[in-house]
Amino acid sequence: MKRLPIVAAALAVGVLGMAVPAQADDTPSYGGFSSEATATPLRLEVHEPAIPIPADPELEFDFSYTHVAGSSGPSATARASAMWPGGPIGEGLKTFIEQLGLPAELGAAGYPVQVNAQSPGTPSSQSQEFLPGMIGRVAVDDKQAVARAGYSTDGEVAGDDASGGGGNAITDLLDELKNGNLAALGSLLGGKTDSDPTAASNPLGALSILVSVGGMSSSSKTTYGSDSVTATATSQIGEIDLIGGLVKLEGITVSSASTSKLAGGTTTPKVTYGGLTIAGIPFKFTSDGIEAAGKTTAIPSLPDAPLKALEALGISISLPKPTKQVDGAQASSSADGPTISIDAAPLLKLLSLNKLPLADLINKFPDSAGQVKSLLLALLDAHPKVVLKLGEVSSTAQVVPSVDLGGNPGSTTTVPPKTSPTIPTTGGTGGTGSTGTGDVGAPTAAAPVPAASTPLQTTAATPGLPGVGGLPGALAVAGLVLAGGVGLWLRRGLTSVFGGAGACAHGLQSGLPDLRKV
Amino acid sequence: MSVPILEAVGVRAAYGRIEVLRGVDLKIPRGAVVALLGPNGAGKSTFLKVISGQMPHTDGDIHMAGVSVRDARPEELARVGLTTIPEGRSVFPNLSVEENLRLMSYAGVPEMQVLDTAYSYFPRLYERRYQLAGTMSGGEQQMLALARALTSDPALLLLDELSMGLAPLIVEELYDTVAGIASSGVSILVVEQFARTALRISDYAAVMTGGRIVARGEPGEIQKMMADVMLGGVAS
């Protein structure tokens, strides 16, 4: 039974405190760690309760998604995906296929567009070309876990579609909006333009009218060194045109880096914009502020007319502030790029879907596909809210001190002293000196060494009340005993009178029943 | 009617200012298997944490075998027969299967008895006894987590998302084992997001959404209404 406290302590610390150094000569200064990094340069969230997925948001698509996680051991996992649909679908595709009554073969192999690596275990590295030009790579070993993914949604590299959505079309659009003609933007969003932005194969489909994205990539990495653990997540987008080119951004990098040491953690989230043009006005800025003409200023609001036009169409744009948290050795941060929120109700009116005989078409589905049929009928009335994040990253790292598995069950952790203990520089007392109290000066060769028979003079280590003795002390002890006795008597009396009402609002005794014997 | 082994009455709990459990009432009869179902974020795992003493509740009472266990610590509840298998399995990845099991002997059960119990329920673990737990498949790791729990001689077993990330065939196999455990008299509360398999072995079921129990009954009844609850009312 003496081992019980040790086991309890080890379990309490859990995975964090379970470090067993793989090699004696590579022992980290910390006992255990946990780290995690996630990055996606383009995240699409769909909030619509009619979608039959028990998650919030109901649908999510993380393009060029990467994720790594490491913990004591070390053990680590890494994942990269061209398009990750979130945990509920990515992990449980087969179950969803079954629940929807679709052929089970569709989900037999799980979600296919992903590569994974783990350590210990196999595979320790993997790569896949999900689509032509779209690469995902993951690699994990006992020092680090790395995941990288990248591609272009429009099949073109960043920078070569500079004319897309810009030029006279935007000037004309702004003029129309300033004159109060909301129909101009509505026509654009409804797809009634001379040039069709969706002509190219594009995973965003019709949404590319609102968002056109050039090359994008992300990387997530965690490394565990001898005295620190680091997690970094970075997402990059080459070029983005929003709302038909009304807002144009070049080179958004969203990053988060967290480092944990026993002495403390540090974390740095940041959003960097290579270039930005709002309504034709160019700016350069980071998440700390806009740098224009040598000054850092707040981001200007959009011109009134376009802003009102966007609101009328259910569209809003925000630039979220990065968040970070440092608590002792634990460090974590997250950052989001520009976020576009789209309430679909006004847009659906523009698209005039209700004029199409979709319900009649769906009702012609066979009864065997009843689940799908009812789902599609429900979706006809859906008004989803779509949130687009142009970069979302997060990282967290934490190290903990070693678990003391020695012979002192009362001590569960070994916390390093804040100041290094003073080490005697001369032989002097030969082992009789202070042992690690740190603040006690070590005896020097010139210092007088007390004789072995000298009686030790004790002094109070900390200020406080003097000891209570004699009659006052006896009275105090007697008072405490009496108070305890009265308390017990009252408790028993109340329990017998009120049936244990003092213990539980439902009249039951408090305690710990042995569930194996009752 | 016998006293239920677990009874939650109006249990409320919160993470900071966000209330997650909003008055949960649930009974688990002695020796029964109860499935607690519901969508992601409904509060199921939080409820398990509250029952097992890992998280304080802000209101309501929890009774075990007719005794209020308010403020009981997790290790105290574990000693009297409450065993939790958390989501994500939490086996020690860099210890072998046998070392993972041997850890349970430090709680007082003889090592041979621990290994005998584990290997008799899961012969596959015997084949893998020298393999690092982290290198096993997800299903085998879940078997190890189940075996580790069983060696503590549980009277009330709390299972959180047994099927998480596992292939359906493995899930079926694991639930067959859970049914076997239940037949030995162990009371079991199964928390699951996906209903079908859990309902197959359950005596009763309840559905939780938004921090409340919104439906309870026999598995057949719950199976019929799951489409409404899980699919947001579109499949009726």
Side-chain angles (χ1 to χ4, degrees):
Chain A
M1 293 300 287
K2 285 182 179 177
R3 290 174 171 177
L4 189 57
I6 302 171
V7 175
L11 291 175
V13 175
V15 176
L16 286 177
M18 205 205 60
V20 179
Q23 295 174 352
D25 58 348
D26 197 21
T27 307
S29 60
Y30 47 84
F33 73 94
S34 171
S35 61
E36 196 166 1
T38 307
T40 175
L42 179 61
R43 177 178 167 85
L44 172 66
E45 296 177 357
V46 181
H47 300 263
E48 171 52 62
I51 297 172
I53 295 175
D56 184 24
E58 281 76 13
L59 271 180
E60 63 175 279
F61 301 101
D62 299 323
F63 294 90
S64 292
Y65 169 87
T66 54
H67 173 81
V68 294
S71 61
S72 301
S75 67
T77 58
R79 169 177 286 153
S81 174
M83 191 196 73
W84 180 246
I89 294 181
E91 303 281 5
L93 180 67
K94 184 173 174 62
T95 308
F96 274 106
I97 297 279
E98 287 176 357
Q99 294 275 355
L100 289 170
L102 298 172
E105 293 76 19
L106 290 176
Y111 182 67
V113 192
Q114 60 172 321
V115 285
N116 292 282
Q118 61 174 350
S119 173
T122 54
S124 60
S125 67
Q126 215 175 356
S127 69
Q128 186 180 359
E129 187 168 359
F130 306 107
L131 304 163
M134 172 64 219
I135 303 292
R137 289 197 177 92
V138 287
V140 177
D141 58 30
D142 59 355
K143 297 289 182 190
Q144 64 176 5
V146 185
R148 292 194 176 93
Y151 82 144
S152 164
T153 60
D154 54 8
E156 309 218 11
V157 294
D160 60 357
D161 55 351
S163 62
N168 292 333
I170 289 303
T171 310
D172 295 344
L173 176 61
L174 281 173
D175 289 341
E176 292 288 334
L177 291 172
K178 283 172 185 170
N179 293 330
N181 182 12
L182 298 186
L185 190 53
S187 297
L188 174 66
L189 298 176
K192 296 169 187 172
T193 55
D194 293 338
S195 60
D196 183 6
T198 62
S201 172
N202 189 321
L204 288 179
L207 274 174
S208 65
I209 297 168
L210 293 172
V211 180
S212 174
V213 179
M216 64 171 87
S217 66
S218 81
S219 69
S220 298
K221 184 176 182 180
T222 179
T223 57
Y224 358 111
S226 59
D227 65 344
S228 67
V229 171
T230 301
T232 56
T234 307
S235 73
Q236 294 174 313
I237 302 184
E239 183 174 304
I240 306 110
D241 288 339
L242 304 178
I243 316 168
L246 185 62
V247 178
K248 185 175 175 182
L249 304 98
E250 293 172 357
I252 299 178
T253 301
V254 187
S255 64
S256 167
S258 300
T259 300
S260 177
K261 295 181 179 181
L262 286 176
T266 57
T267 187
T268 311
K270 194 165 190 177
V271 183
T272 305
Y273 304 82
L276 168 69
T277 304
I278 298 179
I281 306 168
F283 294 91
K284 285 187 78 173
F285 67 100
T286 70
S287 50
D288 297 327
I290 293 183
E291 295 170 12
K295 291 173 65 179
T296 301
T297 53
I299 300 166
S301 56
L302 286 168
D304 279 350
L307 192 61
K308 285 178 183 171
L310 292 176
E311 283 177 0
L313 292 164
I315 299 169
S316 63
I317 303 175
S318 63
L319 302 170
K321 287 274 184 190
T323 60
K324 63 179 182 179
Q325 186 175 14
V326 176
D327 183 10
Q330 184 180 17
S332 62
S333 64
S334 64
D336 292 349
T339 299
I340 303 134
S341 180
I342 304 158
D343 185 351
L347 290 174
L348 290 175
K349 282 182 185 170
L350 280 172
L351 294 172
S352 305
L353 283 179
N354 55 347
K355 292 178 183 172
L356 300 175
L358 294 177
D360 295 337
L361 287 172
I362 293 168
N363 279 324
K364 293 188 187 307
F365 279 35
D367 290 340
S368 58
Q371 290 271 29
V372 176
K373 202 163 125 180
S374 58
L375 167 63
L376 291 175
L377 285 171
L379 288 178
L380 284 183
D381 295 325
H383 302 293
K385 181 185 174 189
V386 178
V387 178
L388 271 162
K389 293 182 178 178
L390 302 177
E392 184 183 74
V393 301
S394 64
S395 68
T396 181
Q398 183 182 16
V399 297
V400 295
S402 303
V403 174
D404 181 8
L405 295 177
N408 181 10
S411 172
T412 56
T413 58
T414 305
V415 180
K418 289 181 179 176
T419 56
S420 300
T422 308
I423 301 170
T425 53
T426 58
T429 55
T432 58
S434 165
T435 55
T437 53
D439 294 334
V440 181
T444 63
V449 179
S453 59
T454 304
L456 292 173
Q457 298 295 320
T458 58
T459 56
T462 56
L465 292 172
V468 178
L471 185 60
L475 286 174
V477 171
L480 287 172
V481 171
L482 184 62
V486 170
L488 277 176
W489 180 82
L490 278 174
R491 186 174 185 277
R492 285 188 179 184
L494 286 172
T495 302
S496 62
V497 172
F498 297 109
C504 168
H506 301 86
L508 298 174
Q509 289 276 2
S510 284
L512 272 172
D514 188 342
L515 299 176
R516 299 184 184 96
K517 293 179 180 171
V518 294
Chain B
M1 183 178 173
S2 67
V3 178
I5 194 163
L6 174 73
E7 182 182 24
V9 186
V11 171
R12 291 173 175 270
Y15 292 103
R17 290 188 298 178
I18 301 171
E19 190 170 52
V20 179
L21 300 182
R22 299 170 182 170
V24 177
D25 298 305
L26 186 70
K27 281 183 187 176
I28 301 180
R30 201 182 308 274
V33 179
V34 176
L36 180 58
L37 311 169
N40 193 20
K44 307 184 299 295
S45 295
T46 302
F47 183 55
L48 285 199
K49 284 181 184 171
V50 169
I51 294 172
S52 58
Q54 299 173 66
M55 181 177 170
H57 51 292
T58 54
D59 198 10
D61 280 300
I62 295 172
H63 305 145
M64 288 186 186
V67 177
S68 171
V69 293
R70 177 174 265 277
D71 299 330
R73 294 196 300 270
E75 63 271 22
E76 292 174 333
L77 291 168
R79 270 187 218 111
V80 299
L82 175 71
T83 302
T84 307
I85 299 181
E87 183 182 335
R89 303 181 276 276
S90 294
V91 299
F92 295 99
N94 272 63
L95 297 184
S96 69
V97 169
E98 198 151 299
E99 286 166 338
N100 265 278
L101 293 170
R102 197 177 297 147
L103 277 176
M104 294 308 295
S105 69
Y106 289 87
V109 184
E111 183 178 331
M112 287 312 296
Q113 189 179 325
V114 167
L115 298 178
D116 187 49
T117 305
Y119 295 149
S120 59
Y121 271 107
F122 300 102
R124 199 183 304 180
L125 292 181
Y126 181 74
E127 298 166 14
R128 310 265 191 206
R129 60 189 183 280
Y130 301 126
Q131 188 172 335
L132 289 183
T135 65
M136 296 198 301
S137 69
E140 289 167 339
Q141 289 186 34
Q142 191 63 277
M143 287 178 193
L144 178 57
L146 260 176
R148 213 171 48 178
L150 291 174
T151 57
S152 67
D153 186 22
L156 174 57
L157 187 59
L158 309 180
L159 287 172
D160 194 1
E161 300 283 4
L162 191 66
S163 65
M164 178 67 80
L166 301 181
L169 277 178
I170 301 293
V171 174
E172 293 284 334
E173 190 180 333
L174 284 171
Y175 270 107
D176 285 341
T177 307
V178 172
I181 296 166
S183 66
S184 69
V186 178
S187 310
I188 300 175
L189 175 59
V190 183
V191 161
E192 269 293 349
Q193 189 177 145
F194 303 113
R196 193 165 297 171
T197 313
L199 287 174
R200 180 171 62 81
I201 65 152
S202 303
D203 300 305
Y204 306 98
V207 182
M208 178 183 274
T209 60
R212 293 189 183 89
I213 301 290
V214 295
R216 72 192 85 211
E218 304 279 337
E221 299 167 348
I222 296 295
Q223 175 75 53
K224 286 177 188 168
M225 67 175 70
M226 278 311 288
D228 278 345
V229 177
M230 299 287 285
L231 304 185
V234 298
S236 55

